[in-house]
Amino acid sequence: MGSTKALVTCLLVIIFAVMLSNHNVLASEIENVSYDNCRHLCSDTYGWFECMNDCEAAGFINGGKCASPSPKAPLKCCCQK
């Protein structure tokens, strides 16, 4: 029973570490967003895919991302030049 607990603990630690590292990658990616061309609010129905398509249709070469300049502000679709 002791080895099972140790195995489960190690597995949970590995899962937590992977989740935390992915969160840091996403946060560093969002920091490079320009907030000059933000338009629609992002939601469950209007997400990153719709944002990217709308920005590309508007002529923005790098598409767009759902981002916010502060944690308390809502996410908006920001088109990137």
Side-chain angles (χ1 to χ4, degrees):
M1 194 59 111
S3 62
T4 303
K5 285 183 182 181
L7 183 63
V8 170
T9 302
C10 288
L11 182 64
L12 290 175
V13 168
I14 291 170
I15 291 172
F16 180 71
V18 168
M19 289 173 56
L20 186 60
S21 67
N22 285 341
H23 178 71
N24 289 339
V25 168
L26 292 174
S28 65
E29 201 175 290
I30 291 175
E31 289 173 3
N32 298 326
V33 172
S34 169
Y35 300 103
D36 297 336
N37 300 301
C38 296
R39 300 174 181 194
H40 307 288
L41 285 174
C42 293
S43 65
D44 291 338
T45 56
Y46 186 87
W48 69 270
F49 186 73
E50 290 81 12
C51 175
M52 181 182 62
N53 286 337
D54 286 349
C55 290
E56 287 177 357
F60 290 91
I61 296 171
N62 292 327
K65 297 179 182 179
C66 290
S68 173
S70 76
K72 293 183 180 181
L75 293 177
K76 286 190 173 184
C77 176
C78 298
C79 299
Q80 304 301 303
K81 294 182 181 179

